[in-house]
Amino acid sequence: MPRTLAPILCAATGATLALATLTQAAQAQQKTPEPYAAKESLATKPVPQSRGEVQLSFAPVVKRASPSVVNVYASHVEKRSNARANAMEEFMRRFFGEESGGRGPRGLPGERAQRSLGSGVILDESGLIITNNHVIDNMNEVRVALADKREFEAQIVLRDPRTDLAVIKIKNPTGGLIAMPFGDSEGLEVGDFVMAIGNPFGVGQTVTQGIVSALARTQVGSSDYQFFIQTDAAINPGNSGGALVDLRGQLVGINTAIYSQSGGSHGIGFAIPASMVKAVVDSAKGGASTVRRPWLGARVQNVTPDIAESMGLDHPTGVLVANLVPKSPAEEAGLKRGDLILSVDGQTVDDPEAFGYRFALKGIQGQTKFGILRGTSRMTLPVKLGPAPETRPREPVKVRTRSPFLGATLVNTSPAVAEEMQVDFPSEGVTVQAVEENSFAARAGLRKGDMVLAINGAPVTSTKDIERLTRNPMSMWEVAINRGGEVLTSVFGG
């Protein structure tokens, strides 16, 4: 089932949008009355001029796109000991009347399963499928069902929680797979027709139709890279990972979330643009198990109305460079604190989310160009593209002794680690990489991404310091951490 981010409900959805006879629409193009006659966009996308044009069918587009949309069934099977299995079987039988006796998905005793239902899109004839990460998160078994009723086991090829995308692959395809081509998500305009195809509520493949309601939505909150297509095509739970398609039957987005207070569709759905989907799929095709993104080495912030006025701007736009990492691509390109980044390769950016999205799409080779405002001067700066460097070994340490770090895994901080954790990179330090659920560290309040600065007044610069300082039990522990730029000091009992 999709996750809920109240009031944002992540939903599986598939989408395909189609105006049937495109040639008829083109032939029906006529000279439009003023003031629209001079607008080129209306010449290429004419308003229907007759009743016949309004009654065109989307069926041809649906027939073209729907074979590429699949249902995704994921489960997490956990083995249990026989004694535990027997006890659970008796409990289920007595209190819930469960005929299967608490058996696993294959009817085997000693198994417990969690299940998730979503959708996916075939993007390669070899069986490569894109879906949402939250559909297969924490799952270890995945099956897909095609539109022609065939079912296959699939393996997880790549997970990318930062975009909420995942790539899976059919293990033993038997041919006849139809890949959906990528469309131009950058060319979408508000008002364009789109369609969503997926498996809402598990009822089977369903097509809904609507328009693009808005573009570049950045305050959705379901991933790190927020730059969503908003549509009023109905999207519901079970649609996650389904296709949003244009009038050519091409993929322009992966439906991911809805705004809902009831769990159903209220006409506000969100899709990840195809441009970001392609970047993730290309990483999987290249054999990577993770997505590598370019590193800038700078922290940017929103431009407030006051800042915009002080810089002579009519309205807030762009992102302000607030900090630079020494010897980073940003510093080497000549960026300075106080510079205003207005565009990335000519595409304007209005906030840090839009900037992060545009920059992430540039890959890790070559260079990109920033349009900046410095004082009253506008200029263009070339910026070298490359991944965040691993400037020193991570040397992970999992603390086993009784301390506030019991159950936590810590690594040496580097630009690569800071980029993964989405934290600012310091000159040196140790970062909390993971915290076990219900561990002493979790109860102490440690979080992934925390940077440990000191233990009992002793500075921490490497994981070796962590091992040394937590080796012996203490009656009291004083721990200083950096969390989001704020230094917190706490005292714990031994």
Side-chain angles (χ1 to χ4, degrees):
M1 291 298 293
R3 60 185 181 177
T4 302
L5 302 173
I8 299 296
L9 171 69
C10 285
T13 110
T16 342
L17 240 326
L19 256 186
T21 343
L22 299 176
T23 54
Q24 294 179 18
Q27 292 170 357
Q29 178 182 331
Q30 300 176 3
K31 183 176 179 181
T32 54
E34 296 293 343
Y36 301 106
K39 290 186 177 290
E40 182 180 354
S41 61
L42 289 182
T44 56
K45 299 177 181 178
V47 174
Q49 301 293 312
S50 67
R51 181 181 180 87
E53 290 179 19
V54 175
Q55 292 179 333
L56 293 176
S57 172
F58 292 96
V61 181
V62 174
K63 290 177 182 178
R64 186 181 305 127
S66 60
S68 301
V69 180
V70 303
N71 299 339
V72 178
Y73 304 94
S75 61
H76 180 90
V77 179
E78 178 183 335
K79 301 290 183 180
R80 302 198 303 263
S81 66
N82 287 336
R84 183 183 177 191
N86 292 338
M88 183 59 72
E89 180 177 349
E90 178 63 16
F91 177 84
M92 289 291 192
R93 185 186 65 79
R94 292 180 59 189
F95 291 93
F96 293 98
E98 187 175 284
E99 295 181 2
S100 63
R103 295 172 183 264
R106 295 175 296 272
L108 301 176
E111 291 184 352
R112 181 176 60 186
Q114 295 175 319
R115 295 181 178 85
S116 177
L117 169 67
S119 305
V121 183
I122 301 172
L123 294 177
D124 190 277
E125 293 178 357
S126 66
L128 217 57
I129 295 170
I130 191 76
T131 186
N132 280 136
N133 183 67
H134 73 259
V135 171
I136 54 94
D137 192 27
N138 296 321
M139 301 298 168
N140 55 19
E141 293 187 3
V142 181
R143 292 187 65 84
V144 298
L146 275 58
D148 61 10
K149 308 301 182 183
R150 287 183 294 167
E151 292 193 13
F152 298 93
E153 288 188 15
Q155 62 186 24
I156 299 171
V157 175
L158 181 150
R159 303 174 189 258
D160 190 38
R162 295 181 64 181
T163 58
D164 192 21
L165 291 171
V167 179
I168 60 178
K169 190 176 188 301
I170 293 175
K171 288 184 177 180
N172 298 300
T174 57
L177 300 180
I178 300 176
M180 182 179 293
F182 280 102
D184 182 15
S185 58
E186 299 297 323
L188 284 178
E189 296 181 283
V190 175
D192 282 349
F193 279 114
V194 285
M195 296 180 74
I197 307 176
N199 182 19
F201 299 107
V203 300
Q205 191 176 94
T206 301
V207 181
T208 56
Q209 173 266 327
I211 63 168
V212 174
S213 305
L215 296 167
R217 289 297 195 204
T218 59
Q219 303 300 319
V220 177
S222 66
S223 70
D224 290 344
Y225 293 100
Q226 298 187 48
F227 201 77
F228 293 92
I229 301 165
Q230 182 181 328
T231 178
D232 66 349
I235 296 172
N236 288 289
N239 278 132
S240 288
L244 188 72
V245 303
D246 60 16
L247 297 182
R248 297 177 178 86
Q250 297 177 338
L251 184 73
V252 293
I254 292 296
N255 297 304
T256 297
I258 60 174
Y259 183 92
S260 177
Q261 296 178 332
S262 65
S265 174
H266 291 328
I268 303 177
F270 302 97
I272 300 169
S275 51
M276 178 60 78
V277 175
K278 188 176 187 302
V280 173
V281 173
D282 286 346
S283 294
K285 287 183 176 180
S289 58
T290 58
V291 179
R292 302 184 72 193
R293 297 182 173 88
W295 178 59
L296 181 60
R299 182 167 60 86
V300 298
Q301 67 179 54
N302 271 311
V303 177
T304 65
D306 289 341
I307 294 175
E309 184 179 358
S310 70
M311 300 186 76
L313 299 174
D314 295 332
H315 61 278
T317 186
V319 293
L320 196 67
V321 177
N323 197 14
L324 296 168
V325 175
K327 299 180 180 179
S328 65
E331 186 182 71
E332 293 174 354
L335 276 175
K336 300 181 182 298
R337 289 185 61 186
D339 283 349
L340 187 66
I341 302 175
L342 299 172
S343 64
V344 178
D345 275 347
Q347 294 178 308
T348 58
V349 293
D350 290 327
D351 51 43
E353 289 79 13
F355 170 76
Y357 175 85
R358 292 295 181 195
F359 186 63
L361 291 180
K362 297 305 171 183
I364 56 175
Q365 294 182 339
Q367 67 176 26
T368 187
K369 292 182 179 179
F370 288 176
I372 70 167
L373 176 65
R374 180 177 295 165
T376 58
S377 301
R378 292 178 182 259
M379 61 186 72
T380 300
L381 292 181
V383 179
K384 184 179 179 180
L385 297 170
E390 199 91 38
T391 52
R392 59 175 179 161
R394 301 194 180 201
E395 297 178 344
V397 166
K398 189 168 185 178
V399 178
R400 301 290 185 183
T401 55
R402 184 173 177 81
S403 72
F405 302 96
L406 178 62
T409 301
L410 302 101
V411 296
N412 290 326
T413 306
S414 68
V417 170
E419 179 72 9
E420 289 176 16
M421 303 291 176
Q422 289 294 278
V423 295
D424 289 335
F425 172 63
S427 57
E428 57 185 12
V430 173
T431 301
V432 178
Q433 184 183 48
V435 178
E436 291 181 358
E437 189 176 356
N438 298 321
S439 65
F440 196 92
R443 293 195 296 272
L446 279 183
R447 301 178 188 173
K448 179 180 177 181
D450 284 346
M451 293 188 180
V452 183
L453 305 177
I455 299 176
N456 292 332
V460 174
T461 60
S462 71
T463 54
K464 292 180 180 178
D465 292 335
I466 294 286
E467 287 183 307
R468 175 175 54 83
L469 295 171
T470 60
R471 185 174 297 134
N472 299 317
M474 303 285 290
S475 58
M476 296 291 289
W477 296 88
E478 183 183 270
V479 179
I481 63 170
N482 182 325
R483 178 178 293 166
E486 181 181 1
V487 177
L488 308 174
T489 301
S490 301
V491 177
F492 305 93

